[in-house]
């Protein structure tokens, strides 16, 4: 099964799809990666019909359930004020619904802002491989997250009967480490991810830390839901940036799971009394019973040799017994 983010091919739109007049019916020729040229017609979906007349194409990998006002903050204000300037690209199904190959974030923003959405509608049948190649070129505004990129890796592992990440990486023509990171990111419990604002926009470096947190919760038999509910999230922090909120939540999670480190103390016992204050023999034992120190000063060197030999013999005998 081909994936848009793993298909390594180029795409040439052939024409500039920038700001255009709102004339419906204008046509463009699109050239796809295979070299196939197709005609596309410009239409504008009214705000009142956007929900019923548009849907997300099955090959569009953007996680729709993760779209929030935070995740579209980079385009929302512009769309609210000026509408959408850059057309999306769609196909039209048998029910007359426009299936968006890209522009799902623009659609989400338009639904919120009650704005119309301009689209180039492809008039001919296009192979999935060409559509996948096109989708790869649409990530320049907001790239897909590791989770979105790896969303079906587990399914691919099962379908290909792969037992190692190396096999999946070779199948997808990816580096092993890249494939592993995406697989791990996609495997993290959605409950743990969803607590972040713009959860699909968190830095990729967060995923390894979240996987570690999830592993520790599993080890302690603590459910992710229970852990999240125990966090004291500050909803009043409206003025700080989304990025700072994300960082704050991760720090809160890591701090919550940190185990208190008990300070090791040492109990000292004198082994003998001497007239000379600079001569002593004492043993220091840690309060956790994991450490033992013997301190000797100004005693005969032969005694040191005997003590070392005695300790060595005892330790080695213990190793043999075990």
């Amino acid at each position: 099964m081909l994936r848009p983010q793993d298909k390594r091919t180029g795409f040439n739109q052939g024409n500039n799809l920038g700001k255009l007049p709102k004339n419906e019916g204008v046509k463009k020729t699109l050239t796809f990666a295979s070299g196939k040229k197709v005609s596309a017609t410009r239409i504008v979906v009214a705000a009142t019909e956007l929900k019923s007349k548009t849907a997300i194409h099955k090959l569009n990998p953007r996680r729709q359930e993760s779209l929030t006002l935070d995740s579209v903050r980079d385009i929302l204000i512009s769309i609210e004020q000026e509408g959408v300037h850059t057309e999306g690209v769609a196909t039209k199904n048998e029910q007359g619904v426009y299936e968006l190959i890209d522009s799902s974030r623009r659609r989400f923003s338009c639904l919120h802002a009650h704005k119309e959405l301009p689209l180039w509608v492809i008039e001919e049948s296009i192979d999935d491989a060409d559509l996948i190649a096109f989708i790869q070129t649409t990530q320049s505004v907001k790239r897909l997250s590791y989770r979105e990129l790896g969303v079906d890796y587990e399914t691919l592992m099962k379908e290909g009967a792969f037992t190692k990440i190396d096999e999946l990486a070779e199948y997808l023509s990816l580096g092993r480490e890249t494939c592993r990171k995406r697989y791990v990111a996609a495997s993290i419990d959605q409950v743990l991810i969803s607590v972040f604002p713009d959860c699909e926009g968190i830095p990729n470096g967060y995923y390894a830390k979240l996987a570690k947190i999830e592993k520790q919760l599993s080890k302690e038999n603590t459910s992710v839901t229970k852990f999240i509910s125990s966090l004291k999230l500050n909803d009043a922090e409206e003025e700080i940036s989304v990025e700072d909120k994300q960082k704050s939540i991760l720090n809160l999670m890591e701090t919550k799971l940190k185990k208190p480190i008990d300070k090791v103390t040492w109990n000292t016992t004198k082994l003998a009394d001497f007239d000379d204050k600079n001569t002593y023999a004492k043993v220091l034992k840690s309060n956790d019973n994991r450490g033992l120190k013997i301190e000797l000063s100004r005693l005969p060197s032969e005694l040191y040799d005997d003590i070392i030999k005695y300790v060595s013999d005892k330790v080695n005998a213990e190793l043999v017994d075990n």
Side-chain angles (χ1 to χ4, degrees):
M1 181 170 65
L2 295 172
R3 289 177 43 81
Q5 56 275 15
D6 302 320
K7 178 74 175 178
R8 295 188 174 181
T9 183
F11 177 76
N12 177 18
Q13 295 186 19
N15 292 288
N16 183 5
L17 300 182
K19 296 182 181 180
L20 292 173
K22 289 190 175 181
N23 322 11
E24 294 193 62
V26 174
K27 293 185 180 293
K28 287 276 187 181
T29 298
L30 304 181
T31 303
F32 284 85
S34 65
K36 182 175 182 177
K37 296 180 183 293
V38 299
S39 180
T41 302
R42 188 179 190 275
I43 62 104
V44 178
V45 183
T48 55
E49 298 179 322
L50 190 56
K51 192 169 185 178
S52 61
K53 285 196 172 182
T54 63
I56 307 304
H57 196 282
K58 65 179 182 179
L59 293 178
N60 189 329
R62 184 76 68 188
R63 279 180 179 261
Q64 303 305 305
E65 64 273 18
S66 296
L67 289 178
T68 64
L69 296 183
D70 282 330
S71 68
V72 297
R73 64 191 182 280
D74 55 320
I75 61 174
L76 180 59
I77 294 177
S78 172
I79 289 176
E80 286 177 333
Q81 295 175 348
E82 305 175 13
V84 175
H85 292 305
T86 304
E87 295 83 352
V89 177
T91 59
K92 189 175 183 179
N93 65 24
E94 294 179 354
Q95 289 72 42
V97 175
Y98 302 110
E99 297 184 345
L100 307 186
I101 299 170
D102 63 356
S103 64
S104 61
R105 295 202 315 135
R106 276 166 278 172
R107 176 182 184 270
F108 179 89
S109 300
C110 287
L111 285 170
H112 176 77
H114 305 290
K115 298 290 185 179
E116 60 190 21
L117 178 64
L119 295 171
W120 287 112
V121 180
I122 298 171
E123 299 177 349
E124 302 175 37
S125 176
I126 301 295
D127 291 340
D128 282 357
D130 268 338
L131 292 180
I132 287 169
F134 168 75
I135 291 172
Q136 178 68 35
T137 72
T138 67
Q139 297 183 46
S140 58
V141 177
K142 185 170 185 178
R143 298 191 67 80
L144 296 168
S145 70
Y146 272 5
R147 282 174 63 75
E148 290 170 320
L149 290 167
V151 65
D152 56 6
Y153 280 17
E154 186 174 357
T155 300
L156 291 174
M157 288 279 285
K158 293 177 181 177
E159 290 179 350
F162 302 138
T163 58
K164 298 178 181 179
I165 286 292
D166 306 66
E167 296 172 322
L168 179 62
E170 183 178 356
Y171 172 74
L172 296 174
S173 300
L174 291 173
R176 182 192 183 283
E177 191 61 12
T178 297
C179 187
R180 184 194 67 79
K181 288 179 178 179
R182 293 177 180 180
Y183 185 90
V184 169
S187 301
I188 297 171
D189 193 318
Q190 183 64 39
V191 175
L192 197 60
I193 296 291
S194 295
V195 70
F196 291 92
D198 187 12
C199 61
E200 295 299 342
I202 62 175
N204 286 329
Y206 280 30
Y207 292 117
K209 296 178 180 179
L210 290 172
K212 186 176 180 181
I213 289 171
E214 187 174 23
K215 184 177 180 180
Q216 186 172 339
L217 290 175
S218 176
K219 186 176 180 181
E220 296 175 359
N221 292 319
T222 302
S223 72
V224 173
T225 302
K226 182 178 180 180
F227 172 69
I228 294 300
S229 64
S230 71
L231 297 176
K232 295 180 179 179
L233 302 173
N234 189 353
D235 294 328
E237 296 179 338
E238 295 296 334
E239 295 185 1
I240 69 173
S241 68
V242 169
E243 291 76 13
D244 286 339
K245 286 181 183 178
Q246 292 171 341
K247 186 182 298 183
S248 176
I249 291 172
L250 180 62
N251 289 339
L252 185 60
M253 288 180 177
E254 292 180 320
T255 301
K256 181 78 174 177
L257 287 179
K258 278 185 179 177
K259 298 295 183 182
I261 301 175
D262 296 328
K263 185 177 181 181
V264 176
T265 58
W266 296 86
N267 300 315
T268 303
T269 303
K270 289 195 300 183
L271 299 179
D273 293 318
F274 301 94
D275 294 333
D276 183 357
K277 65 178 182 179
N278 292 319
T279 302
Y280 56 81
K282 57 186 178 181
V283 62
L284 292 81
K285 189 175 183 180
S286 65
N287 63 334
D288 61 0
N289 293 321
R290 299 181 67 181
L292 183 72
K293 301 177 184 178
I294 298 175
E295 294 188 3
L296 307 171
S297 176
R298 295 195 176 184
L299 294 174
S301 60
E302 296 82 1
L303 179 59
Y304 294 162
D305 293 338
D306 290 342
I307 292 173
I308 293 172
K309 184 177 185 307
Y310 175 78
V311 172
S312 177
D313 290 343
K314 292 292 290 183
V315 170
N316 284 301
E318 184 70 18
L319 292 174
V320 171
D321 291 340
N322 292 336

